[in-house]
Amino acid sequence: MSNHLLSASIFSTSATSSSASKPFLKAKPILALTALLALAGCSNGQNETNENASSEATKTTEATEKNSAAADDNVLRIGTEGAYAPFNYTNADGTLGGFDVEIANAICDDMQMTCEIMAQDWDGIIPGLKAGKYDAIVAAMSVTPERAKQVAFTDPYFSNALVFLAKKDSSFDPTNSSDINAHSIAAQRSTISSQWLENTYPKANMKLYDTLSNAFLDLGSGRVDAMISDKLPALEWLGSPSGSNYAIKGDEVDINDNFAIAVRPNDEALQAKINQSLANLKSNGTYDKINQKYFSVPVSATPTPATSTTAPTTLDSAAQ
């Protein structure tokens, strides 16, 4: 489950100058008029000088920006959050790591470009893209209709799914509705997991928890028979000592929750290049290698043939 739904400054230079003159307090009218005309002439000349200088400064700034843009043609600037492990996180030394970061670097390698990856708070990540702070967002961002109104998404590079967990020796079968109704099932409150279960099996004996940790705690202590969870946190728990006697039951439940890379709506060329690189990474094995590093299924999580069956397909009622 992804609960996730930077600003550029342009400095310009201008030439300014000022002139000061002492007032003619006691000048005769003709002298005063002559002096006034002289001052006006000087002022107009100075304004023209200022306008010319400002125009030249603007041209210089524009030329500098064009040269800078040309120099950066081989750099792909990427924004990520740096606080959503295992997809993206900040290491103790301040460097960024995680699945998103490795995927971004692999895309840059395939495109033969240099990656510049920067961290950005989640609330400002789309505004930062729109402001030109970076060229793309790689941050476990779920594709939603609301976001698609602001950004253009690439092809998905990761799909979230739900899984059922129970003891390895349990006969619990999540493809059997009567079996689900006969067992107590833990889920985190107000999540896609709990909403999907409630919508798909309204008679299910659900036990809701404020946190995922508390749900895992009750599953591990035997206070509930089974549990439904997002796949990734489930895999982490199954790989821990507390989850060593538990396994995934049945197949994954596809809830159409896809993570994709976001670019600005008018960057069709970049969108196409990233899509091509994603396809290349998947075909040459690079994607699988990175995926295995972060999301490999522990041996303890592998379901037995007796319980590995087709998952329910009533997914339209799942809430995003």
Side-chain angles (χ1 to χ4, degrees):
M1 172 192 62
S2 172
N3 290 328
H4 294 129
L5 255 160
L6 276 126
S7 61
S9 298
I10 301 177
F11 297 90
S12 61
T13 58
S14 61
T16 60
S17 64
S18 63
S19 61
S21 59
K22 295 181 181 180
F24 295 90
L25 298 178
K26 298 181 180 180
K28 292 181 179 181
I30 296 178
L31 292 177
L33 179 60
T34 302
L36 182 60
L37 291 174
L39 285 174
C42 290
S43 177
N44 289 335
Q46 186 63 56
N47 285 339
E48 292 175 359
T49 302
N50 286 341
E51 290 172 0
N52 291 336
S54 179
S55 177
E56 289 302 318
T58 300
K59 291 179 180 179
T60 301
T61 300
E62 290 174 351
T64 301
E65 289 173 350
K66 289 180 180 179
N67 291 336
S68 178
D72 291 340
D73 278 348
N74 203 44
V75 175
L76 184 61
R77 302 170 303 158
I78 293 175
T80 193
E81 185 184 12
Y84 193 63
F87 288 96
N88 53 79
Y89 50 80
T90 304
N91 296 306
D93 61 359
T95 59
L96 294 166
F99 180 75
D100 288 330
V101 174
E102 293 208 28
I103 288 293
N105 280 317
I107 288 172
C108 287
D109 287 344
D110 183 77
M111 295 172 63
Q112 297 184 344
M113 299 183 72
T114 299
C115 261
E116 285 186 1
I117 305 177
M118 61 194 77
Q120 168 65 44
D121 290 342
W122 184 255
D123 288 344
I125 204 161
I126 288 180
L129 175 69
K130 295 167 72 174
K133 188 171 182 178
Y134 32 80
D135 308 306
I137 297 172
V138 188
M141 180 173 285
S142 294
V143 177
T144 67
E146 294 76 18
R147 289 176 183 146
K149 294 176 182 178
Q150 302 185 67
V151 303
F153 283 109
T154 65
D155 296 334
Y157 69 96
F158 190 87
S159 294
N160 182 34
L162 305 180
V163 293
F164 283 94
L165 308 176
K167 281 190 174 181
K168 289 180 177 179
D169 58 2
S170 171
S171 61
F172 173 72
D173 180 3
T175 66
N176 188 333
S177 59
S178 60
D179 210 18
I180 286 182
N181 295 337
H183 291 79
S184 57
I185 302 175
Q188 184 180 3
R189 191 187 315 277
S190 300
T191 61
I192 290 177
S193 301
S194 62
Q195 291 169 6
W196 180 89
L197 184 61
E198 183 177 15
N199 291 333
T200 309
Y201 298 102
K203 296 181 180 180
N205 181 15
M206 296 174 58
K207 302 292 183 182
L208 299 179
Y209 298 82
D210 290 337
T211 67
L212 201 62
S213 298
N214 286 337
F216 281 130
L217 185 63
D218 270 15
L219 177 64
S221 63
R223 286 189 283 269
V224 290
D225 301 320
M227 179 173 170
I228 186 169
S229 166
D230 284 355
K231 179 181 177 180
L232 296 186
L235 292 180
E236 286 193 25
W237 185 77
L238 290 170
S240 70
S242 300
S244 59
N245 292 324
Y246 291 78
I248 292 173
K249 297 291 183 174
D251 293 337
E252 298 175 1
V253 180
D254 182 3
I255 53 173
N256 196 31
D257 183 16
N258 296 309
F259 299 166
I261 297 169
V263 299
R264 285 180 287 275
N266 60 344
D267 280 351
E268 294 93 347
L270 178 59
Q271 181 187 32
K273 289 179 180 178
I274 293 177
N275 279 336
Q276 183 59 59
S277 287
L278 283 172
N280 294 343
L281 298 182
K282 291 177 180 179
S283 64
N284 65 24
T286 302
Y287 179 89
D288 288 340
K289 184 177 180 180
I290 298 174
N291 188 78
Q292 182 73 13
K293 177 179 177 179
Y294 288 93
F295 309 125
S296 59
V297 179
V299 175
S300 62
T302 305
T304 61
T307 59
S308 179
T309 53
T310 303
T313 58
T314 53
L315 304 176
D316 292 340
S317 58
Q320 283 283 22

